[in-house]
Amino acid sequence: MITVANRIYVAPEYGDAFEERFRKRAGLVDAMPGFVSNQVLRPVNDGDPYVVFTVWNSRADFLNWVRSDEFVKGHAQSGTMPKEAFTGPNKLEVHEVLQDSTRPELGPEPKGGPLRMH
């Protein structure tokens, strides 16, 4: 299992608009094979990023998502906010799950090395 955290730095005055876009998201990821969950996390401290956090059964499942037509469709509105809505570049972090307390039977994700998206 892997997690993917997309840290997105949003200017405070654009927070409501950013959140509304996620409330109206296409939801295409929800039906992808290997998709487990999606959380959108709102920062509580000034200057911290929003985090879009997804969980996948495997690295291959995530890569299939980012290479799919559904990914392109699902991210079609992501470029609709003005540049000034963002205070810095987003940062994508991928982690292999070593342990999940809600799934004690889960074995650790094998080490896969750096992730090559394309």
Side-chain angles (χ1 to χ4, degrees):
M1 193 159 61
I2 68 165
T3 66
V4 180
N6 190 2
R7 299 182 186 285
I8 306 170
Y9 293 85
V10 178
E13 62 271 22
Y14 286 95
D16 290 341
F18 180 81
E19 291 177 22
E20 185 65 18
R21 280 185 169 59
F22 273 96
R23 282 189 204 92
K24 293 181 177 178
R25 70 185 181 87
L28 298 173
V29 68
D30 300 342
M32 290 299 294
F35 173 78
V36 176
S37 67
N38 178 48
Q39 296 176 341
V40 180
L41 310 176
R42 178 191 301 125
V44 297
N45 294 320
D46 291 342
D48 284 351
Y50 280 83
V51 179
V52 179
F53 189 81
T54 57
V55 179
W56 295 88
N57 279 328
S58 71
R59 178 188 292 241
D61 291 327
F62 173 68
L63 288 172
N64 288 338
W65 159 243
V66 298
R67 295 172 179 161
S68 71
D69 291 339
E70 290 85 352
F71 179 86
V72 174
K73 291 176 195 168
H75 288 82
Q77 72 170 348
S78 62
T80 60
M81 291 186 68
K83 281 196 294 190
E84 60 269 12
F86 304 99
T87 60
N90 67 313
K91 178 164 181 10
L92 193 69
E93 298 174 351
V94 180
H95 294 89
E96 298 164 339
V97 177
L98 297 176
Q99 182 183 44
D100 182 339
S101 65
T102 67
R103 297 172 64 183
E105 77 289 351
L106 183 71
E109 179 74 13
K111 287 185 179 180
L115 185 70
R116 308 250 189 285
M117 299 279 281
H118 303 283

